[in-house]
Amino acid sequence: VQLQASGGGLVQPGGSLTLSCATGRTYSSSVFGWFRQVPGKEREFVALIRKSSGTTYYSDSVKGRFIISRDNAKNTVNLQMNSLKPEDTAVYLCAIGSTFDSSSSAYRSWGQGTLVTVSS
């Protein structure tokens, strides 16, 4: 499965940005995740959603600010990011797995990522 994330860019603190990930056809049991990574640091979990039920889970650092959603008809997963902070600056990656798990090791397919920069 090839994943393609898009929508990154430069945004001012307090602003909003929506990322999209084209997943292609996936199993109904799939779980979609968004992670982020800063050079020199470990990959960090952001949010995940179950394809079938739409059940979501967020990291504490983004809860209440980010919203993950999926469009099964369009085979896309979105991440709406609000109230962005400079510490949200990172490369954002989407991934596909089969378990409802925030660990990056649970995901078998990864996209290349899209850069989000939060700065004034």
Side-chain angles (χ1 to χ4, degrees), residues 96-120:
I96 297 176
S98 55
T99 58
F100 201 74
D101 194 327
S102 61
S103 173
S104 60
S105 62
Y107 294 79
R108 63 183 182 275
S109 299
W110 292 83
Q112 288 187 329
T114 185
L115 176 62
V116 173
T117 303
V118 184
S119 175
S120 54

Side-chain angles (χ1 to χ4, degrees), residues 31-37 42-49 55-63 66 68 79 88 91-93 95 99-107 110:
V31 175
F32 305 121
W34 281 100
F35 292 78
R36 63 189 182 187
Q37 191 161 21
E42 290 190 1
R43 191 166 291 178
E44 177 189 7
F45 165 73
V46 176
L48 63 90
I49 186 168
T55 303
T56 59
Y57 179 69
Y58 298 89
S59 70
D60 288 342
S61 61
V62 307
K63 193 179 299 180
F66 290 12
I68 187 172
L79 184 69
D88 293 319
V91 173
Y92 283 73
L93 306 104
T99 58
F100 201 74
D101 194 327
S102 61
S103 173
S104 60
S105 62
Y107 294 79
W110 292 83

